[in-house]
Amino acid sequence: MARKGPAIAIDAMGGDRAPREVVQGAILWARENPQVPLCLAGDEARVREELRLGGWDGKNIEVVPSRCVIDMGDSPVEALRKKKGSSIEVATRLVKEGKAFAVVGAGNTGACVAASTLLLGVLPNVKKAGIAVTFSTGDTRVVVIDVGANVYSKPDHLIQYGIMASLYAREILEVEHPRVGLLNIGEEDEKGNALAKTTHALFQKTKLNFIGNVEGVELFRGACEVAVCDGFVGNIVLKTAEGMAERFLGLFHKALRESIDGQPHAAEVGAALKKAMGQLERKLDYSEYGGAPLLGVNGVTIIAHGRSDRKAIFNAIRVARRMGEIDLNTRFSEELCALSA
């Protein structure tokens, strides 16, 4: 459970912009944090070329050759079995072998989950690992778990998600007393399916700051700092939120251009609104948070967005380092052990 190895392993071939943006993100990190070595798993020739183009002198970044890449459309478990020596497998195996304490990947999410689950296993007392994504709701942030690692959840899985995400919100997002809500179709205790009703009753028996059921409309109004759901619901919430944010910003930009075009003082008004839009976009920007931790595995796994640029990769490495520094995994196991005692 404790931190192993000095390095952070990175799947250099995973993601829409790999290997260039992944390698450049690693270079940004290495320049600012020379004390934390990185291991880039991928096509050796391509990775070394990107390092050369980035002006890197080779210090603090090791290139670990891989044989192939698991593509976004590949079936995760089947691909891991057939594509031996893939970049995500090589990177994850470095953690298993104790050469690194964390792995960062922006490729096939299912493959990242499968590689970590199969190679690293889950922590003592953890039944299922869950992906925790951080959303900005304006003045507050909310951690939603699970967003796709486990679509067939049981009540005890959701309780463990709540415990782990609450600790993550406290230690990483610095929320002193995170409110935990159960994502449901209504606020009343009796609402929802059998999974929601049973889970609600179990949450009430924990020591968490459980506030009850939370409807989807309240998720972005700051009703809670931790929202718990099964991976099927969570993944739909994640993709819907991303699509709505992108569409809203696009429509707003279009309406803004049309409304000020040809108007007096258009330049001044446009400059002010552009600044405000920039601030809004930064709040909604996934790259600010870097990636989503896979909570519950016996190691640190950060799953970055498939479209991650160098800034997102840099921040994903930052989150991985922080989780290793404070040894959240030991805390997870201790909390869950106390729950089952």
Side-chain angles (χ1 to χ4, degrees):
M1 289 183 294
R3 170 175 169 154
K4 298 184 292 183
I8 296 175
I10 302 170
D11 174 7
M13 310 305 294
D16 299 341
R17 304 181 185 184
R20 173 152 300 173
E21 290 299 309
V22 177
V23 175
Q24 297 310 312
I27 291 174
L28 286 177
W29 171 267
R31 285 185 174 136
E32 291 190 20
N33 303 273
Q35 74 280 13
V36 181
L38 303 178
C39 297
L40 297 179
D43 182 311
E44 184 173 11
R46 293 180 66 189
V47 172
R48 290 195 183 281
E49 175 62 10
E50 293 300 335
L51 287 171
R52 184 190 69 79
L53 292 174
W56 190 243
D57 59 9
K59 296 178 181 177
N60 204 41
I61 297 180
E62 177 186 359
V63 180
V64 183
S66 67
R67 298 177 182 173
C68 55
V69 180
I70 294 181
D71 299 318
M72 291 295 193
D74 288 340
S75 173
V77 176
E78 184 178 352
L80 278 174
R81 186 173 66 250
K82 292 183 177 180
K83 292 186 171 182
K84 297 294 185 182
S86 66
S87 53
I88 186 58
E89 179 189 346
V90 170
T92 307
R93 197 172 291 282
L94 291 172
V95 179
K96 177 179 175 63
E97 294 172 350
K99 298 174 182 177
F101 67 88
V103 58
V104 173
N108 185 310
T109 297
C112 291
V113 173
S116 291
T117 303
L118 294 174
L119 293 175
L120 307 180
V122 295
L123 293 165
N125 305 308
V126 172
K127 296 184 177 181
K128 290 284 185 179
I131 304 173
V133 166
T134 301
F135 286 104
S136 173
T137 63
D139 295 329
T140 61
R141 290 175 291 180
V142 57
V143 180
V144 180
I145 186 171
D146 171 36
V147 296
N150 181 25
V151 298
Y152 301 107
S153 296
K154 297 180 180 179
D156 50 351
H157 299 157
L158 299 189
I159 297 298
Q160 291 195 344
Y161 290 161
I163 292 171
M164 291 190 292
S166 185
L167 265 171
Y168 180 82
R170 281 210 313 264
E171 300 298 331
I172 302 298
L173 303 182
E174 299 180 344
V175 180
E176 190 172 354
H177 299 293
R179 296 165 295 172
V180 179
L182 178 64
L183 199 59
N184 207 333
I185 60 172
E187 296 180 354
E188 298 82 3
D189 292 358
E190 66 275 8
K191 283 294 183 83
N193 55 18
L195 173 63
K197 292 176 182 178
T198 303
T199 303
H200 187 282
L202 292 175
F203 262 127
Q204 289 181 315
K205 298 177 182 179
T206 69
K207 295 180 180 179
L208 295 172
N209 185 15
F210 181 59
I211 64 169
N213 292 326
V214 174
E215 293 183 273
V217 69
E218 295 296 328
L219 193 60
F220 299 98
R221 293 177 177 172
C224 59
E225 287 78 35
V226 173
V228 179
C229 56
D230 64 72
F232 183 85
V233 171
N235 194 263
I236 293 174
V237 168
L238 173 64
K239 300 299 174 56
T240 301
E242 286 183 352
M244 286 185 65
E246 289 178 3
R247 184 60 175 160
F248 168 78
L249 289 173
L251 288 173
F252 190 88
H253 276 296
K254 183 174 183 292
L256 177 61
R257 288 194 302 269
E258 292 174 349
S259 64
I260 66 173
D261 187 32
Q263 298 296 319
H265 311 293
E268 294 86 345
V269 173
L273 289 174
K274 184 177 180 180
K275 181 179 179 180
M277 282 300 298
Q279 294 173 343
L280 175 60
E281 287 177 349
R282 282 191 292 275
K283 284 189 175 183
L284 298 176
D285 187 3
Y286 65 86
S287 68
E288 293 288 343
Y289 304 105
L294 179 62
L295 302 183
V297 291
N298 192 12
V300 175
T301 297
I302 304 296
I303 302 173
H305 199 291
R307 290 177 292 174
S308 290
D309 58 11
R310 59 195 67 188
K311 175 184 175 183
I313 296 299
F314 176 93
N315 283 324
I317 299 170
R318 175 181 54 78
V319 173
R321 180 195 182 186
R322 178 60 180 157
M323 287 186 66
E325 281 180 337
I326 63 178
D327 194 13
L328 266 185
N329 283 345
T330 295
R331 301 277 300 281
F332 289 155
S333 288
E334 290 173 349
E335 293 272 348
L336 294 174
C337 180
L339 177 69
S340 61

